[in-house]
Amino acid sequence: MLDYKKAIGEIIAKELPQLSFGEIKEMIEIPQDSKMGDYAFPCFRLAKELKKSPQIIAGELAEKIKGDIFEKVEPVNAYVNMFISKETLGRDTIKSVLEEGENYGCSNLGEGKTVIVEFSSPNIAKPFHIGHIRSTVIGNSIYKIYKALGFDTVRINHLGDYGTQFGKMISAYRRWGNKEDVEREPIKTLLGYYTKFHEEAEDDPSLEEEAREIFAKLEKGEPEEVALWQWFRDESLKEFNRVYKMLDIEFDSYAGESFYSDKMPRHEEELEKSGILVESRGAKIVDLEDQGLGVALIKKSDGSSIYITRDIAAAIYRKETYDFYKNIYVVASQQSLHFQQLFAILRLMGYEECADGCVHVPFGLVRLEAGTMSTRHGRVVFLEDVLNRAVEKTKEIILEKNPNADNVEEIAAQVGIGAVVFNELSNNRIKDYTFKWETVLNFDGETGPYVQYTHARCCSLIKRAGEDVSSKAEALGKSGEVRYEYLTSEGAHELIKLLYQYPQVVIQAGEKYEPSVITRHIVDIAQAFNKFYHDEHIITEDDNEKLAKMSLVIATRNVIRNGLQLLGVKAPERM
Ligand code: ARG
């Protein structure tokens, strides 16, 4: 695709030998207000060297900047404002979108580099609740974005499947457990045992001691303990997998905390040798006070390993196994200190390169509006229930709009679940937000259903125009032979501009680890399309006009579909 910034940079570079091409390209801006042009070049920096006012420089430069790609070049104060020819932009953009199809927005930026995206990572035998949706959905989208940018990707679910709590769980199961109950409803049942354990342990501290001993046996690999633990893990995973299936999310590896249990001794030795490990009341710690990161507990006084130790082993293992370029942890912002400590310790241990590639991608909390949903499972809101509820509610909305709608089940699933996912990815991830059904399922707001509906509208236009017209429009678009003069209205131009920017938006989303950049952009595309749709007659009598407009409709459909795909949201053709 033609990169206008680059093309403009080359033109300006010829006129300004005192600046390098790279500097010039950096300086080119995209004005907030499109009345100020598609691109602008500020001249402040040149004033000193040229001994002229920036206004005068802008005036002189504007005279010299010429080329077919421009419709207009004009100086405004200290800026040279440049307007790209609408027809050129239309032709280039529609051609790229249609030629590249599902790959429009993809690139090979990441060729030869491996990126690990660790996300979701729920804890075994604990509820997969509404709070987990964030890591799951944000992580999945970041994975898709990096894949689209050409990186080799590895999705890791770092399951919380280890730790002293498993001693408690086993002890509780042996006391009060029942196999059938666990199999019927694993997480709820196991959680019940675990809660009971804590209640009983308040009166009888020997329970804690027993749990510690059991965990020690588990760490040693005693078969009975291992078998129970394995069973809890398998049963919990069955439940998690139901949710992953609903969200259409997969992982390449489920190497969770337990996977590192036999890999820790080596690193504990390294830590000992490095001299950074110190004794403190029987426990082993690393003092990071001088970096403002407090103290990290590495080994408890009873010798059992803990969370951060397993993370040290995991990071090093990943570096050695995948030689990652980036190792991205999509984990709540509450764990920021944990990751800062982890990365600092890796450096102190001499694993600089490993630490350099590690990135914590934090996110804020989800709050629930009071009374948002009733919970079958007590106070915890299970993600599965939320997704099911979304599908039910969507079904009601669809049937209300169209009592004879067919294929309702499938569409309601795509729209309902899509709505929850899209909502999740609508705001900057670091912000806390409140989950509200009215916002999530609003078909007219800046929501998933609205964008999906716009996509379906494009699909229905394509059908309505007829197979002949649509395929001809696509062919002409691909060969750059559409009559672009029909696509120069304000509305069409705004839409084309957004389609043109899309590949850059994907790159930005990747750089910032921020899927919401894409979410917002496709909302803008949907809004621009709907304006175009309402303002203009698309399937007109005039064949050339109809073909031109349909090529834009097809291009819009493609970009919305590609964007939704990167968010992990389905794009149904009918709604
Ligand atoms: N299981 C943890 C939790 O639910 C999240 C794991 C985050 N990943 C990591 N490598 N520490 O809080």
Side-chain angles (χ1 to χ4, degrees):
M1 151 163 254
L2 178 58
D3 179 347
Y4 293 117
K5 219 173 186 179
K6 185 164 159 239
I8 293 170
E10 281 162 0
I11 294 171
I12 297 180
K14 281 198 214 115
E15 308 302 332
L16 294 177
Q18 52 276 91
L19 294 176
S20 73
F21 167 70
E23 285 171 310
I24 291 173
K25 202 172 161 219
E26 278 290 294
M27 285 164 73
I28 299 172
E29 297 176 6
I30 297 181
Q32 289 284 339
D33 180 355
S34 58
K35 287 194 192 64
M36 307 304 280
D38 300 309
Y39 296 91
F41 186 77
C43 299
F44 305 101
R45 254 182 76 176
L46 295 157
K48 210 163 167 193
E49 188 168 341
L50 297 177
K51 301 199 175 59
K52 289 180 199 163
S53 78
Q55 286 83 346
I56 290 180
I57 299 169
E60 290 173 357
L61 192 57
E63 285 291 309
K64 292 188 206 143
I65 296 179
K66 289 198 179 70
D68 287 347
I69 65 167
F70 299 115
E71 184 161 292
K72 190 168 68 174
V73 177
E74 60 182 18
V76 174
N77 298 325
Y79 288 85
V80 180
N81 292 346
M82 292 161 276
F83 297 78
I84 300 292
S85 142
K86 291 187 178 120
E87 293 184 27
T88 306
L89 181 69
R91 183 181 54 240
D92 292 347
T93 303
I94 292 178
K95 190 168 189 294
S96 302
V97 178
L98 297 183
E99 267 176 359
E100 292 171 38
E102 294 188 353
N103 293 324
Y104 183 70
C106 295
S107 62
N108 52 9
L109 273 179
E111 215 169 77
K113 296 189 181 121
T114 299
V115 166
I116 292 177
V117 187
E118 185 218 281
F119 64 104
S120 199
S121 311
N123 298 324
I124 295 299
K126 295 275 181 65
F128 196 20
H129 58 78
I130 176 94
H132 288 117
I133 193 178
R134 305 221 69 190
S135 172
T136 307
V137 162
I138 295 170
N140 187 48
S141 178
I142 290 178
Y143 146 73
K144 284 172 184 279
I145 292 166
Y146 273 84
K147 198 168 172 64
L149 295 175
F151 290 88
D152 288 326
T153 49
V154 185
R155 293 162 289 184
I156 299 183
N157 193 335
H158 187 79
L159 291 173
D161 59 359
Y162 217 60
T164 41
Q165 72 270 27
F166 287 93
K168 296 178 186 173
M169 204 87 71
I170 292 173
S171 158
Y173 177 73
R174 285 183 175 152
R175 284 167 188 272
W176 313 292
N178 172 311
K179 190 158 183 267
E180 287 74 50
D181 289 347
V182 174
E183 277 167 355
R184 190 162 17 87
E185 218 169 2
I187 291 179
K188 191 189 160 199
T189 310
L190 291 171
L191 188 65
Y193 299 156
Y194 190 65
T195 316
K196 188 166 162 97
F197 181 92
H198 279 278
E199 285 162 13
E200 303 271 322
E202 274 182 25
D203 302 327
D204 181 1
S206 75
L207 258 66
E208 297 277 0
E209 192 43 46
E210 178 182 298
R212 254 195 298 280
E213 280 162 20
I214 295 176
F215 181 60
K217 284 189 183 168
L218 183 62
E219 285 216 289
K220 273 198 225 99
E222 296 284 343
E224 254 181 65
E225 280 69 20
V226 171
L228 271 177
W229 164 85
Q230 183 71 47
W231 180 56
F232 295 162
R233 188 181 192 272
D234 293 346
E235 291 297 323
S236 302
L237 261 180
K238 272 189 210 159
E239 233 180 283
F240 299 158
N241 280 328
R242 278 210 306 271
V243 177
Y244 294 138
K245 201 160 170 217
M246 290 175 94
L247 292 166
D248 195 14
I249 288 179
E250 287 171 13
F251 294 92
D252 301 302
S253 160
Y254 286 86
E257 294 185 44
S258 68
F259 181 77
Y260 301 100
S261 63
D262 63 351
K263 298 174 181 58
M264 287 182 292
R266 172 188 143 200
H267 302 305
E268 282 164 9
E269 229 165 81
E270 288 170 345
L271 274 163
E272 294 280 2
K273 279 203 196 118
S274 70
I276 56 172
L277 205 60
V278 288
E279 289 263 344
S280 169
R281 282 180 254 135
K284 302 266 172 86
I285 61 158
V286 175
D287 188 342
L288 298 167
E289 291 290 6
D290 58 337
Q291 302 186 41
L293 298 175
V295 162
L297 179 63
I298 300 291
K299 210 168 176 116
K300 290 193 194 162
S301 51
D302 64 9
S304 52
S305 67
I306 58 167
Y307 186 53
I308 197 164
T309 327
R310 295 188 277 276
D311 260 328
I312 294 171
I316 297 169
Y317 174 85
R318 290 177 191 174
K319 185 70 196 172
E320 289 173 354
T321 309
Y322 303 106
D323 191 23
F324 59 72
Y325 164 68
K326 276 183 187 171
N327 175 29
I328 300 172
Y329 297 88
V330 186
V331 182
S333 57
Q334 285 117 307
Q335 295 195 32
S336 288
L337 179 62
H338 165 78
F339 285 104
Q340 285 173 319
Q341 290 183 335
L342 170 63
F343 305 158
I345 293 171
L346 287 170
R347 283 183 203 288
L348 289 173
M349 290 172 75
Y351 290 98
E352 300 277 344
E353 211 194 314
C354 172
D356 284 344
C358 289
V359 191
H360 175 214
V361 173
F363 52 80
L365 292 171
V366 198
R367 277 198 216 84
L368 291 169
E369 207 181 19
T372 304
M373 42 203 123
S374 62
T375 60
R376 280 193 288 126
H377 303 289
R379 277 188 304 137
V380 192
V381 177
F382 280 60
L383 180 51
E384 189 175 8
D385 293 343
V386 175
L387 296 177
N388 282 327
R389 187 96 187 84
V391 176
E392 266 167 51
K393 278 179 173 271
T394 307
K395 205 163 123 187
E396 283 164 23
I397 297 172
I398 294 177
L399 288 175
E400 207 176 287
K401 288 191 176 181
N402 176 8
N404 305 317
D406 45 74
N407 215 7
V408 183
E409 299 294 332
E410 192 188 338
I411 294 174
Q414 295 187 342
V415 176
I417 291 171
V420 174
V421 173
F422 196 95
N423 177 62
E424 191 49 54
L425 300 175
S426 288
N427 298 312
N428 284 354
R429 58 180 156 72
I430 202 69
K431 278 206 220 151
D432 293 351
Y433 84 96
T434 306
F435 186 97
K436 290 190 187 121
W437 282 118
E438 304 90 272
T439 328
V440 176
L441 291 179
N442 184 349
F443 278 51
D444 301 317
E446 298 181 356
T447 61
Y450 171 73
V451 174
Q452 285 175 321
Y453 190 77
T454 309
H455 172 267
R457 172 171 274 168
C458 293
C459 294
S460 110
L461 271 166
I462 293 166
K463 237 199 219 140
R464 193 138 50 87
E467 173 59 34
D468 281 359
V469 172
S470 295
S471 50
K472 193 160 175 206
E474 182 154 11
L476 288 176
K478 279 185 187 167
S479 60
E481 289 170 286
V482 163
R483 298 277 296 275
Y484 291 95
E485 67 265 31
Y486 293 110
L487 300 179
T488 52
S489 68
E490 198 53 44
H493 180 57
E494 281 306 310
L495 175 58
I496 289 170
K497 255 172 45 178
L498 291 166
L499 301 183
Y500 168 75
Q501 288 160 3
Y502 175 75
Q504 279 304 322
V505 166
V506 178
I507 293 173
Q508 242 185 52
E511 280 170 355
K512 296 184 175 163
Y513 312 103
E514 187 65 88
S516 67
V517 173
I518 295 177
T519 314
R520 279 197 291 268
H521 195 73
I522 57 175
V523 165
D524 289 346
I525 290 177
Q527 286 171 340
F529 177 79
N530 286 318
K531 187 169 178 337
F532 170 68
Y533 175 86
H534 288 295
D535 291 352
E536 298 191 27
H537 194 47
I538 294 176
I539 305 185
T540 62
E541 299 297 308
D542 181 319
D543 274 344
N544 286 328
E545 184 177 353
K546 179 162 64 185
L547 287 167
K549 289 182 172 173
M550 282 311 297
S551 73
L552 179 55
V553 173
I554 299 170
T556 306
R557 176 205 58 184
N558 288 4
V559 178
I560 294 181
R561 183 192 59 202
N562 294 0
L564 287 173
Q565 195 275 333
L566 291 183
L567 301 176
V569 175
K570 300 273 182 251
E573 295 193 359
R574 276 180 313 124
M575 270 175 75

